[in-house]
Amino acid sequence: MSIQVNVIVGEIQKQEAQAVVVNLFEGVENPGGATAALDQALSGQITSLIKGGDFKGKSNEIAVLYPSGKLPAQRVILVGLGKPEKFTVEAARQASATAAKKARDLGVTHLHSVVHGAGAGGLSPESAAQAVVEGTILGLYRFLELKTKREDIKPDLTSLTLVEFDASRQAALESGATVGQIMAESTCLARDLVNRPANIANPTHIAAVASEMAEDVGLQCRIMEKPELEELGMEAFLSVNWGGGDPARMVILEHNAGVSDLPTVVLVGKGITFDTGGISIKPAKDMWLMKGDMAGAAAVIGALRAAALLELPLHIVGLTPLTENMPDAFAAKPGDVVGSLKGLTIEITNTDAEGRMALADALTYAGEFHPDAIIDIATLTGSHVVALGEHAAGAMGDESLLEQLKVAGEETRERIWPMPMFEEYAEQLKSNVADIVHLGGRPAGCVTAGIFLSKFVPNDVPWVHLDIAGMEIVASPRPYIAKGATGMGVRLFVETLRNWKV
Ligand code: BES
Ligand code: MN
Ligand code: ZN
């Protein structure tokens, strides 16, 4: 789905439209602005709704009015923004998503909307427009490519027109809208990769999608095939691929490659396209969710797309080690010891702790780019799901980098939360037979996983690890996140990179 977004200067009550969207804050009895203008044209229908107690303006509350000739528009969609004192970009994203989904249900294909939050909400015109476009596109996202029966599926919206009466704001709204569209569409790319089943979205497929996308947006893309990875000595990563399946590979995406004097940021994403657990095989229940074990890689690919389209003034590298984790006669076994690009020998005690093996070599390889910062993102541990659930990623590493991510996480609502990195935890990673064991047992499993990764990060490079296990696929929908893949990480990364402080 690709939607045409435009900003026009005009009055909402004069738009000839299939539907116009206006808003109401909770507790407001006499609406102002665009809502007042429409109410007047509708001879007070909106105030009647409020007075009758039928519409309170609660977040995501929705009502549809039919002007029957009083306005050139066929429908008015009224959406609640919640309490004004609680209003943020998040409320604007949610309200936009709710209104857009309602419009689509009604068969609307061209939607006109005011920019929620740009008036009484007190947001800047840029961030309000960004939020409205982001919320609309993310809210309308569906994964339909494998459905053959389409009769009951409502058509996609083809256009969104933001209507603003103050001409002096048009440029700001347009630039915000562009950012919102890039953020949202890049998130949808990540969602597609995660939703797509593992028989289709294997390493070959993901590498092909990344390289096609790179071509489209002007990123440099290099794919390291298995022989090259072997040559380099990425035995930790490759051991995950010993059990067969599609050959492992590493995708390297680069934005502003070769441009000198730019800070370099490397993003590393776990790309296990299906995690059976290997010889330490997982139980059947919920194993299907492991098609999403490449959500870190998807987030990195989506973020690189956005970085290119936004022309961010940074040198950004995306590294995604891709492999399936399968059991067969050649698969890694518990007790095996393998080498790594760093040179450390690693004892494998559970082949289901495979993500850290792939990431260890990718993190070491990140050093090739002489980075100023490295951030990895991974559906790494069940322990993270238990600790933080689906509303925060566990974050470990450099404090100031972590703080930058935290700020971006609040803004995008892709939140992160710090986990401790006390050296004492490293005790759990002592091996009897090798330099290090990859698993520290049950206590603080997500923490020891992060500590394990830290041993492979190039010395002195600020690094943060993000565990997003459980956040990549959700079972219950939210206003702008449908059941299924969330695209978690794309907006968090892009926001962090947009605000980059060296
Ligand atoms: N991919 C999983 C972690 C995961 C769990 C992601 C739930 C999303 C939802 C990871 O590779 C894994 O299997 N971790 C295990 C390792 C353990 C069995 C040694 C874990 O943390 O439970
Ligand atoms: Mn696993
Ligand atoms: Zn895994």
Side-chain angles (χ1 to χ4, degrees):
M1 178 192 114
S2 184
I3 191 169
Q4 176 74 40
V5 180
N6 9 277
V7 178
I8 62 167
V9 175
E11 292 169 287
I12 194 86
Q13 69 276 19
K14 298 204 173 136
Q15 302 307 312
E16 224 171 278
Q18 295 176 0
V20 295
V21 181
V22 288
N23 60 58
L24 191 74
F25 278 110
E26 189 173 347
V28 170
E29 303 235 320
N30 298 301
T35 310
L38 270 189
D39 186 42
Q40 207 170 22
L42 290 169
S43 337
Q45 276 189 52
I46 296 177
T47 33
S48 300
L49 271 180
I50 301 169
K51 296 234 158 65
D54 295 357
F55 196 90
K56 299 196 168 58
K58 289 191 181 300
S59 344
N60 297 304
E61 191 179 353
I62 199 116
V64 185
L65 299 165
Y66 292 86
S68 319
K70 287 183 174 156
L71 292 175
Q74 288 172 42
R75 305 170 184 82
V76 173
I77 298 177
L78 181 63
V79 65
L81 296 181
K83 297 207 171 77
E85 64 273 18
K86 281 193 165 176
F87 183 76
T88 59
V89 278
E90 173 67 6
R93 279 191 294 263
Q94 291 193 9
S96 311
T98 303
K101 283 188 287 183
K102 184 72 192 177
R104 183 175 63 195
D105 283 348
L106 296 170
V108 170
T109 53
H110 298 281
L111 185 63
H112 288 62
S113 179
V114 299
V115 182
H116 311 302
L123 303 178
S124 71
E126 282 94 348
S127 45
Q130 182 190 332
V132 169
V133 173
E134 237 177 77
T136 301
I137 296 174
L138 292 175
L140 292 171
Y141 174 83
R142 299 179 288 191
F143 183 72
L144 298 176
E145 64 187 37
L146 301 174
K147 302 253 187 206
T148 60
K149 303 249 179 313
R150 292 182 177 238
E151 299 81 49
D152 297 332
I153 296 175
K154 297 283 191 214
D156 282 325
L157 253 67
T158 54
S159 75
L160 171 67
T161 303
L162 303 181
V163 184
E164 165 63 44
F165 69 91
D166 181 353
S168 73
R169 292 172 159 205
Q170 186 172 19
L173 292 170
E174 276 168 353
S175 79
T178 302
V179 174
Q181 184 158 16
I182 292 169
M183 285 268 210
E185 288 178 353
S186 302
T187 302
C188 293
L189 168 64
R191 287 179 179 180
D192 278 346
L193 289 174
V194 171
N195 277 328
R196 207 165 279 155
N199 61 322
I200 301 171
N202 60 14
T204 304
H205 173 86
I206 293 182
V209 170
S211 101
E212 223 169 277
M213 178 280 285
E215 181 91 17
D216 285 351
V217 304
L219 286 165
Q220 189 176 299
C221 177
R222 190 162 91 79
I223 293 162
M224 294 203 281
E225 307 284 346
K226 201 167 154 183
E228 189 178 353
L229 301 170
E230 277 164 352
E231 184 80 13
L232 281 166
M234 295 207 193
E235 204 186 355
F237 169 30
L238 288 170
S239 70
V240 183
N241 193 238
W242 287 353
D246 201 38
R249 67 205 65 204
M250 176 102 74
V251 174
I252 307 172
L253 291 169
E254 223 171 323
H255 167 62
N256 283 331
V259 180
S260 53
D261 296 334
L262 293 176
T264 296
V265 183
V266 183
L267 306 177
V268 179
K270 171 174 171 181
I272 305 299
T273 62
F274 196 82
D275 180 12
T276 65
I279 295 299
S280 313
I281 200 159
K282 287 180 179 297
K285 186 178 178 306
D286 292 338
M287 199 204 271
W288 68 272
L289 278 168
M290 291 302 127
K291 73 173 182 172
D293 212 19
M294 33 53 73
V300 169
I301 293 167
L304 264 288
R305 176 188 185 273
L309 292 172
L310 292 169
E311 300 177 21
L312 297 184
L314 293 168
H315 173 217
I316 307 169
V317 181
L319 290 181
T320 65
L322 299 167
T323 176
E324 301 175 288
N325 183 23
M326 301 297 289
D328 82 0
F330 298 95
K333 301 169 287 294
D336 285 0
V337 174
V338 300
S340 63
L341 186 58
K342 181 91 174 186
L344 293 172
T345 56
I346 307 169
E347 182 189 2
I348 298 170
T349 52
N350 185 321
T351 64
D352 197 8
E354 83 300 336
R356 61 196 78 187
M357 302 298 284
L359 289 172
D361 282 341
L363 286 168
T364 304
Y365 188 74
E368 295 292 310
F369 301 92
H370 308 291
D372 297 282
I374 302 173
I375 310 169
D376 77 71
I377 182 164
T379 47
L380 201 62
T381 67
S383 160
H384 170 264
V385 186
V386 174
L388 296 180
E390 52 181 50
H391 298 294
M396 297 169 66
D398 180 79
E399 268 180 38
S400 92
L401 181 55
L402 201 145
E403 187 53 36
Q404 291 184 53
L405 283 155
K406 199 156 181 289
V407 170
E410 287 305 318
E411 180 75 10
T412 55
R413 235 6 120 80
E414 294 195 324
R415 287 167 159 155
I416 69 161
W417 201 254
M419 292 296 200
M421 282 266 294
F422 307 133
E423 254 313 301
E424 283 81 350
Y425 287 112
E427 292 296 311
Q428 290 171 238
L429 298 175
K430 287 202 165 142
S431 168
N432 226 359
V433 292
D435 295 332
I436 189 170
V437 58
H438 74 154
L439 197 62
R442 267 173 66 81
C446 54
V447 170
T448 53
I451 305 250
F452 175 83
L453 294 180
S454 74
K455 306 296 178 196
F456 297 86
V457 175
N459 287 341
D460 304 324
V461 180
W463 156 80
V464 165
H465 156 63
L466 301 173
D467 194 336
I468 58 164
M471 304 181 81
E472 74 285 20
I473 294 177
V474 291
S476 42
R478 302 179 210 158
Y480 60 88
I481 303 180
K483 175 176 171 174
T486 60
M488 166 69 194
V490 176
R491 292 183 306 121
L492 171 65
F493 276 151
V494 179
E495 182 66 17
T496 303
L497 297 166
R498 261 162 40 90
N499 301 332
W500 193 256
K501 289 193 257 330
V502 205

